[in-house]
């Protein structure tokens, strides 16, 4: 079951913040966040496994809510290099089978 | 560095042909995946394999089959290619359990004419 991502697209100026959400109707085993730049393969950012977990990666961090049905990706003080499409991937029921959302296209302008 | 290698970057095939897309990873990963990527639809899972000869259907398995005879190699087979299978195909692998992320190949752009 494909997770739902929102928003579909966001345009920022350098230095602005953004939040990307990923939700599922069922409790998740794990949430994975990836970024894909145009013409390139998706690249792993981080994985969340536990309800209530928060993780950071430079100025990009993510949370996983207590019910393990929603995750958010936080991009603070955005840089031009943050531009790309962000995907959340989710797994259910202890399985490693990873299903992705439709993606959020982030554009950071000077 | 983990490497996931797909055999072709670009392929052009005729309708009705049997098509093989090959994927090889060099890090002894248990899990391997085949996705297709189309504009506005994101990454859709075709098949997943969690061990040699073990597979699970993804969301869109119709018209596809897979083969995993060796741990490092995962093949996607289009039994009879059709124009609606024109797409970007991405292979990925990961080390289970989910304590680490996955790695994607560079993709194969398949055009069926």
């Amino acid at each position: 079951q494909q997770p739902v991502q929102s928003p579909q697209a966001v345009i920022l100026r350098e230095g602005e913040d953004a939040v990307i959400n990923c939700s599922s109707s069922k409790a998740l085993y794990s949430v994975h966040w990836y970024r894909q730049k145009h013409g390139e393969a998706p690249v792993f950012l981080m994985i969340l496994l536990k309800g209530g977990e928060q993780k950071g990666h430079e100025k990009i961090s993510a949370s996983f809510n207590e019910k393990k049905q929603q995750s958010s990706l936080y991009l603070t003080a955005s840089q031009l290099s943050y531009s790309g499409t962000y995907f959340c991937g989710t797994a259910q029921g202890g399985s490693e089978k990873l299903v992705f959302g439709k993606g959020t296209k982030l554009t950071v302008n000077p | 560095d983990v490497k996931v290698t797909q055999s072709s970057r670009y392929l052009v095939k005729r309708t009705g042909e049997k098509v093989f897309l090959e994927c090889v990873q060099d890090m002894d990963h248990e899990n391997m995946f085949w996705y297709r990527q189309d504009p506005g639809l994101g990454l859709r899972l075709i098949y997943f394999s969690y061990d040699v000869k073990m597979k699970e259907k993804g969301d869109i398995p119709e018209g596809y089959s897979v083969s995993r005879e060796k741990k490092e190699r995962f093949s996607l087979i289009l039994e009879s290619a059709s124009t609606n299978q024109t797409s970007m195909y991405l292979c990925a692998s990961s080390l289970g359990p989910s304590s680490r992320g996955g790695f994607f190949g560079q993709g194969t752009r398949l055009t069926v004419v």
Side-chain angles (χ1 to χ4, degrees):
Chain A
Q1 187 179 13
Q2 207 173 19
V4 176
Q5 279 186 244
S6 63
Q8 290 183 338
V10 59
I11 299 174
L12 302 174
R13 287 198 180 276
E14 251 185 313
E16 291 182 337
D17 301 340
V19 180
I20 300 171
N21 297 305
C22 175
S23 64
S24 170
S25 58
K26 296 182 179 180
L28 300 168
Y29 174 63
S30 63
V31 175
H32 305 226
W33 286 98
Y34 285 76
R35 176 173 63 206
Q36 184 180 33
K37 293 186 177 283
H38 184 69
E40 298 180 7
V43 173
F44 172 74
L45 294 175
M46 65 189 81
I47 180 174
L48 298 108
L49 292 167
K50 299 175 184 174
E53 185 174 12
Q54 293 195 21
K55 268 191 178 178
H57 178 76
E58 296 180 344
K59 292 179 182 176
I60 300 174
S61 61
S63 65
F64 197 9
N65 76 345
E66 290 288 344
K67 287 188 177 180
K68 300 183 74 174
Q69 287 182 262
Q70 183 172 3
S71 177
S72 296
L73 186 71
Y74 307 93
L75 300 106
T76 58
S78 59
Q79 304 168 15
L80 296 177
S81 62
Y82 287 3
S83 292
T85 300
Y86 289 78
F87 291 98
C88 72
T90 59
Q92 295 179 354
S95 169
E96 299 284 321
K97 186 167 82 172
L98 199 60
V99 178
F100 285 92
K102 292 184 178 180
T104 296
K105 185 174 181 180
L106 177 74
T107 303
V108 181
N109 292 320
Chain B
D1 275 357
V2 174
K3 235 184 189 175
V4 179
T5 305
Q6 294 184 228
S7 53
S8 305
R9 288 297 303 271
Y10 300 94
L11 271 180
V12 180
K13 296 291 181 181
R14 294 194 178 279
T15 301
E17 274 193 83
K18 190 169 186 175
V19 181
F20 293 85
L21 302 183
E22 306 287 345
C23 176
V24 177
Q25 51 94 2
D26 66 357
M27 280 299 289
D28 204 35
H29 283 178
E30 286 97 345
N31 304 316
M32 296 189 76
F33 308 80
W34 275 107
Y35 297 92
R36 66 176 281 178
Q37 185 170 24
D38 301 286
L41 298 179
L43 297 160
R44 291 183 293 166
L45 181 64
I46 305 172
Y47 267 99
F48 160 62
S49 170
Y50 53 93
D51 203 347
V52 174
K53 299 190 178 181
M54 306 304 287
K55 62 187 179 186
E56 284 186 31
K57 291 180 180 179
D59 292 335
I60 51 164
E62 297 80 18
Y64 304 95
S65 62
V66 290
S67 172
R68 194 168 180 197
E69 297 295 321
K70 293 185 178 180
K71 194 173 186 179
E72 66 271 19
R73 186 180 297 270
F74 192 33
S75 302
L76 180 69
I77 304 153
L78 286 69
E79 297 292 341
S80 177
S82 63
T83 54
N84 63 13
Q85 292 179 310
T86 291
S87 186
M88 172 66 82
Y89 290 87
L90 288 161
C91 175
S93 74
S94 70
L95 181 66
S98 291
S99 57
R100 296 172 179 82
F103 298 86
F104 279 84
Q106 284 300 105
T108 296
R109 171 72 65 183
L110 173 67
T111 303
V112 183
V113 298

